[in-house]
Every structure is written in C-alpha cells, then in structure tokens.
C-alpha cells in the first residue's frame, strides 16, 4: 500500500511540474495540454487505488497499472505497489483455502 501511495505521489508531482512549465520554457500550451491528459490518467490510478482499498484488489490494481503506464520510469513505483496489492489478495485466498482444507 505504501509503495503505491509513493508512486501515485511521484506521478502527481511530475504532472504538476510539467503543467507548471518546469521542463519546457518554450511551449507552455503543449505542456499544459499534455499535463491535463496526464492528470486524467493519474486520476484513473487514484480511482484504482480507492477501488483496491475498498475490496476489489484485482480490478483496482489493474486500473493503477493502466493509469501509471505513461509515467514510466516514475510509474514503475506505482505499478510495483499495485502488483504487491494484487499478490497480497492472492496470498489471502491461499490462506483461506488452506484453513478450509485443514477443517475437513
């Protein structure tokens, strides 16, 4: 969870820096337009994180990964965190199956 939050924060900081003209001094219209697209994808990642925390870790982690693809290399941090969320869900299922089998 912490890794995903750090990744989402890095993606947001990159987007805000791009929209603020930190990286380009000559074409601020392109930077703000592209920054708006990045902000929308960041919002998709945040929505995925909220969905994952609400209980549907599989679909939430998929949304985080899809929204973070354009932020590579910074987006890799959020993708690793989303993968960990999904693996934690799979481990929980495995433990539940083990407990169910040990009862019989």
């Amino acid at each position: 969870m912490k890794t995903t939050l750090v990744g989402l924060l890095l993606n947001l900081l990159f987007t805000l820096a791009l929209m603020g003209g930190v990286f380009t001094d000559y074409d601020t219209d392109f930077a703000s337009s592209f920054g708006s697209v990045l902000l929308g994808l960041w919002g998709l990642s945040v929505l995925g994180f909220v969905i994952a925390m609400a209980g549907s870790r599989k679909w939430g982690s998929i949304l985080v990964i899809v929204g973070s693809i354009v932020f590579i290399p910074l987006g890799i941090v959020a993708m690793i965190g989303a993968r960990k969320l999904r693996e934690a869900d799979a481990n929980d299922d495995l433990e539940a199956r083990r407990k169910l089998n040990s009862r019989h």
Side-chain angles (χ1 to χ4, degrees):
M1 181 170 85
K2 290 180 185 179
T3 309
T4 308
L5 283 175
V6 168
L8 291 175
L9 181 64
L10 287 173
N11 294 348
L12 177 64
L13 290 176
F14 174 76
T15 302
L16 294 178
L18 180 70
M19 289 178 76
V22 172
F23 301 119
T24 58
D25 291 332
Y26 55 90
D27 192 6
T28 56
D29 290 335
F30 172 75
S32 64
S33 299
F34 188 61
S36 298
V37 170
L38 291 179
L39 198 59
L41 289 170
W42 179 79
L44 180 69
S45 295
V46 171
L47 176 66
F49 182 72
V50 169
I51 290 172
M53 292 295 101
S56 180
R57 290 185 181 175
K58 178 182 177 182
W59 292 107
S61 64
I62 289 171
L63 286 178
V64 170
I65 291 170
V66 168
S68 297
I69 286 175
V70 296
F71 292 103
I72 288 179
L74 291 176
I76 292 174
V77 177
M79 287 184 216
I80 290 170
R83 185 172 175 215
K84 286 181 181 180
L85 282 174
R86 191 167 178 185
E87 287 175 357
D89 192 32
N91 289 340
D92 291 344
D93 288 343
L94 178 63
E95 290 300 320
R97 286 190 307 240
R98 285 182 181 164
K99 287 180 183 178
L100 182 64
N101 287 336
S102 66
R103 289 182 191 166
H104 289 90

